Each structure stands twice: as structure tokens, then as C-alpha cells.
């Protein structure tokens, strides 16, 4: 049987681990990488928010149009400039039946505002009982530096997001 020889833990040649310098350099490199990635992530997040808000508006324009056809009545969407909210008359709130359908785009998760829009002479879209809007137009949304546009075709009543 062979005897095992143990070296003392006091020997400096066998120590394993990280020195304070190793940890400091690693944390410094991670900090630099995070500071470079933060603006890109912020830009991506704002674009995702404004894209989601635009798709929500596109879906609600389609809902208002379909409701006007199904109920054979007029349905109206009114946008509030700079507040990021809009209301849909003639449609019950999908999560709270019997309540007005109001969407606040300035709140989470959209964090967006309506910065520009024109449908005929204002910020109101009205679908007749055949689903045809009184006017077409565009609506511009913004979240941070990111923007997105929703376009409503006056002939078809269909909304699109580029």
C-alpha cells in the first residue's frame, strides 16, 4: 500500500481560485458590456412597444368595422392626441362586458402616445353599417424615439401597419 503525501495548504504553489484583481477585471468587463448593450436594448424595447400598440389599433379598427357590419349600425373610434388613449363606441369592453371600450396606450405594456393623426378632418373614424369608414387616414404612434404608423384605407375599411 502506498502512502499518500499531503502538501500543506500553506503552500502558495497549489492554491486555486480567483484573486481580487481577477474578479475586479471581470466585473469591469461585464459593466462595459452592459453599458454598451443598454441603449440598443432600450431602442429595441421602444420599437416593440410601439409596434404592439399599432397592432392593437389595427385589431380594434377591424373589430369596430366587423361590429358595424354584424349589428348593422354605426361604430366610432375616437383617438386622443398626445394621451395615447382611444375609445370605441358601439363595442363592449372585451374584458368587462357592459363597460365602455377604452384603451390606454400610454400605460403598460404599450407606453406609447398618439403623436399625429388625421382621418378626414379629425381623429375620429366612423364605420357605417356596411363597414365602410367615413374617411381613411393615418395615425402615428411614438414610444421613446421609435415610431409606427397605422393606415386606414378609405375604400376597403382595412387598417394596415407597415
Amino acid at each position: 500500500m502506498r502512502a499518500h503525501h499531503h502538501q500543506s495548504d500553506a503552500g502558495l504553489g497549489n492554491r486555486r481560485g480567483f484573486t481580487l484583481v481577477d474578479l475586479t477585471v471581470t466585473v469591469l468587463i461585464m459593466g462595459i458590456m452592459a453599458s454598451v448593450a443598454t441603449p440598443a436594448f432600450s431602442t429595441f424595447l421602444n420599437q416593440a412597444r410601439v409596434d404592439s400598440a399599432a397592432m392593437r389599433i389595427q385589431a380594434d379598427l377591424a373589430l369596430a368595422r366587423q361590429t358595424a357590419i354584424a349589428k348593422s349600425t354605426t361604430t366610432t373610434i375616437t383617438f386622443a392626441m398626445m394621451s395615447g388613449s382611444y375609445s370605441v363606441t358601439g363595442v363592449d369592453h372585451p374584458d368587462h362586458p357592459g363597460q365602455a371600450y377604452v384603451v390606454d396606450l400610454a400605460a403598460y405594456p404599450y407606453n406609447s402616445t398618439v403623436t399625429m393623426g388625421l382621418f378626414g378632418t379629425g381623429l375620429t373614424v366612423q364605420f357605417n353599417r356596411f363597414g365602410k369608414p367615413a374617411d381613411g387616414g393615418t395615425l402615428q404612434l411614438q414610444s421613446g424615439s421609435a415610431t409606427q404608423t397605422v393606415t386606414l384605407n378609405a375604400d376597403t375599411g382595412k387598417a394596415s401597419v407597415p
Side-chain angles (χ1 to χ4, degrees):
M1 190 174 230
R2 294 175 62 181
H4 292 283
H5 296 289
H6 296 286
Q7 288 185 348
S8 168
D9 287 340
L12 295 177
N14 267 349
R15 295 189 79 173
R16 292 181 185 215
F18 299 104
T19 66
L20 184 57
V21 173
D22 293 334
L23 292 174
T24 303
V25 169
T26 302
V27 169
L28 182 64
I29 290 171
M30 290 174 62
I32 291 169
M33 290 173 55
S35 68
V36 169
T38 299
F41 180 72
S42 178
T43 300
F44 168 78
L45 186 59
N46 286 333
Q47 190 64 52
R49 287 176 173 159
V50 78
D51 287 346
S52 295
M55 288 187 288
R56 172 74 185 258
I57 291 171
Q58 179 184 20
D60 284 340
L61 285 166
L63 175 65
R65 180 175 177 266
Q66 292 166 355
T67 301
I69 294 168
K71 292 183 177 180
S72 192
T73 187
T74 300
T75 306
T76 304
I77 297 183
T78 304
F79 295 92
M81 184 71 86
M82 299 307 292
S83 75
S85 67
Y86 61 93
S87 60
V88 185
T89 58
V91 177
D92 282 346
H93 195 286
D95 296 328
H96 309 285
Q99 293 184 11
Y101 189 9
V102 178
V103 176
D104 183 9
L105 296 174
Y108 178 82
Y110 306 111
N111 297 51
S112 299
T113 57
V114 177
T115 57
M116 184 176 69
L118 186 62
F119 298 100
T121 58
L123 288 172
T124 300
V125 177
Q126 191 172 54
F127 293 96
N128 67 18
R129 63 190 186 112
F130 301 109
K132 182 168 174 34
D135 298 292
T138 60
L139 193 69
Q140 185 170 357
L141 305 168
Q142 183 172 356
S143 179
S145 62
T147 60
Q148 186 58 275
T149 303
V150 179
T151 303
L152 180 66
N153 185 305
D155 296 325
T156 65
K158 292 188 179 180
S160 61
V161 176

